[in-house]
Amino acid sequence: MTASLAETTHVEEFRAQELQEHARVLYVALTRAVESLFLTWTGRAQTNSWGEMCRLELSPGVHRTENYSYEVHEGPWEPEHVETNEEKAMVPRAKYRELVLGSLGPQSLNVNSEEAKPFSVTEMLERKPGVVLAAESDRDVVRILKSAATGTAVHKLMELLKYPSRDLMNRLVSKWFPGDEERVLASVDYVRHCKSPPLAEIIVNGEVEWGFAVLVEGLLIEGQIDLWGRTNAGQVWIVDYKTGTPEYKEKAFEQMSLYALALRGSGLVSKDETIKMAAVYPFAKDVFIEKELSREATLAKFGLKAKS
């Protein structure tokens, strides 16, 4: 009976956490609007939906409050095609902005500009000296998107290990991986019982999907760490989950070396602490471990030079 109550509590905590995250996404969406914002839905707003969370007066017409005003319209409407020759200037998000940096050599990464150029970690890996990018026509987009979706779902399952609910885990695996439940649950158990590093401790003590933006030698590097944290003994670990095979583990450690720079830059890891990195392959039931490189060695890998 005690175990059942504890499991129920963990499930409730997880659901409350997910609802809070759902509300935070709504807040970000609302506060990023510059001139106007549109919310649309059909029928009545469902419980815990964004429409229901807004707590708006939904009678047709204009509604004004102290800080904003909004207008409610009710359908049905007929689709209308509007022809216009007016051109509107658009400023794409930084991530999709054309980065005019010349060649892919080391010198192209040392940008002398007052404005920091934004790079994702993926872009940094692709722009390493000597790396030749595949043409868009050569990329299997469907495979890439499927792999990304699988990776996202696996990361969520590993996060759930913080809340020891077998029932919730089994239901989600059945929902996300129909027909592949046995293999996925075996990979989760592998992570749960891994001792080197003690992944269960790091998950409980650490931060998952930790986003960052760090300025490194004039470059603004943006990324997200799957998991980082400390063991019960205080050792700092960066963990990167990989759903493929260990064939490209070198790239995983290059990726984590940038993560280590971000952690150092954030001040969350002190100078006298060491950082260890683990590339975890749950489906292959394998883990590879390396120590953090020095800052100079990491910069050299990406053709960067420390400023004197």
Side-chain angles (χ1 to χ4, degrees):
M1 180 65 71
T2 303
S4 178
L5 289 174
E7 182 174 298
T8 300
T9 301
H10 285 304
V11 172
E12 291 174 349
E13 288 178 354
F14 178 74
R15 287 175 177 167
Q17 182 188 34
E18 289 291 286
L19 186 58
Q20 289 173 0
E21 182 62 27
H22 185 57
R24 281 193 288 271
V25 173
L26 172 60
Y27 173 80
V28 170
L30 292 174
T31 55
R32 292 301 181 272
V34 177
E35 295 182 358
S36 60
L37 176 76
F38 295 86
L39 288 175
T40 65
W41 63 85
T42 58
R44 296 183 61 183
Q46 297 181 1
T47 302
N48 293 331
S49 68
W50 283 1
E52 192 264 348
M53 283 182 171
C54 286
R55 309 289 185 186
L56 299 174
E57 168 57 52
L58 298 180
S59 59
V62 177
H63 303 271
R64 302 185 185 279
T65 71
E66 181 180 353
N67 299 312
Y68 62 90
S69 64
Y70 62 97
E71 191 170 350
V72 178
H73 297 268
E74 286 187 350
W77 299 281
E78 292 296 326
E80 180 181 356
H81 177 70
V82 179
E83 293 185 0
T84 176
N85 293 323
E86 180 184 2
E87 294 185 359
K88 296 183 178 180
M90 295 183 64
V91 180
R93 289 168 53 196
K95 186 174 182 179
Y96 302 103
R97 191 179 304 151
E98 182 67 24
L99 299 174
V100 185
L101 298 175
S103 68
L104 296 177
Q107 68 277 8
S108 68
L109 293 175
N110 291 291
V111 181
N112 295 320
S113 171
E114 293 181 359
E115 179 186 359
K117 305 294 182 180
F119 281 85
S120 69
V121 168
T122 301
E123 288 172 325
M124 289 295 294
L125 292 172
E126 290 181 340
R127 289 179 176 271
K128 279 184 59 189
V131 173
V132 178
L133 301 183
E136 288 298 326
S137 59
D138 295 334
R139 298 189 179 190
D140 186 343
V141 177
V142 173
R143 180 187 61 78
I144 292 172
L145 292 177
K146 184 177 180 181
S147 176
T150 299
T152 299
V154 168
H155 293 173
K156 275 292 183 184
L157 292 179
M158 300 313 169
E159 180 182 351
L160 277 176
L161 291 176
K162 185 178 291 189
Y163 309 96
S165 171
R166 290 270 184 177
D167 179 61
L168 177 60
M169 180 72 72
N170 291 341
R171 282 190 283 114
L172 288 178
V173 169
S174 296
K175 179 180 179 180
W176 294 344
F177 300 93
D180 201 19
E181 292 92 340
E182 185 175 343
R183 185 173 75 102
V184 174
L185 287 172
S187 71
V188 172
D189 279 338
Y190 173 76
V191 171
R192 188 197 311 271
H193 299 297
C194 185
K195 300 300 182 185
S196 181
L199 293 174
E201 288 183 17
I202 301 170
I203 291 171
V204 170
N205 299 332
E207 300 287 342
V208 297
E209 304 298 336
W210 190 78
F212 65 85
V214 61
L215 194 62
V216 178
E217 306 305 334
L219 297 181
L220 182 63
I221 303 175
E222 303 169 332
Q224 186 168 278
I225 303 177
D226 290 350
L227 169 67
W228 82 269
R230 293 175 173 82
T231 64
N232 293 340
Q235 173 62 56
V236 180
W237 283 89
I238 294 175
V239 177
D240 196 40
Y241 298 118
K242 297 296 183 184
T243 54
T245 61
E247 182 180 359
Y248 302 106
K249 62 179 181 295
E250 181 182 347
K251 187 173 181 179
F253 285 110
E254 290 173 349
Q255 187 174 335
M256 284 187 281
S257 68
L258 291 174
Y259 295 165
L261 284 185
L263 277 178
R264 294 290 187 191
S266 71
L268 295 174
V269 179
S270 64
K271 293 181 179 180
D272 59 345
E273 289 183 290
T274 60
I275 297 177
K276 291 186 177 181
M277 306 180 295
V280 180
Y281 294 81
F283 292 120
K285 296 183 174 58
D286 218 342
V287 175
F288 298 88
I289 296 172
E290 289 188 8
K291 290 184 179 180
E292 168 197 19
L293 295 175
S294 69
R295 178 183 176 85
E296 292 72 20
T298 299
L299 294 177
K301 272 185 172 289
F302 295 92
L304 295 168
K305 293 182 180 179
K307 294 180 180 178
S308 56

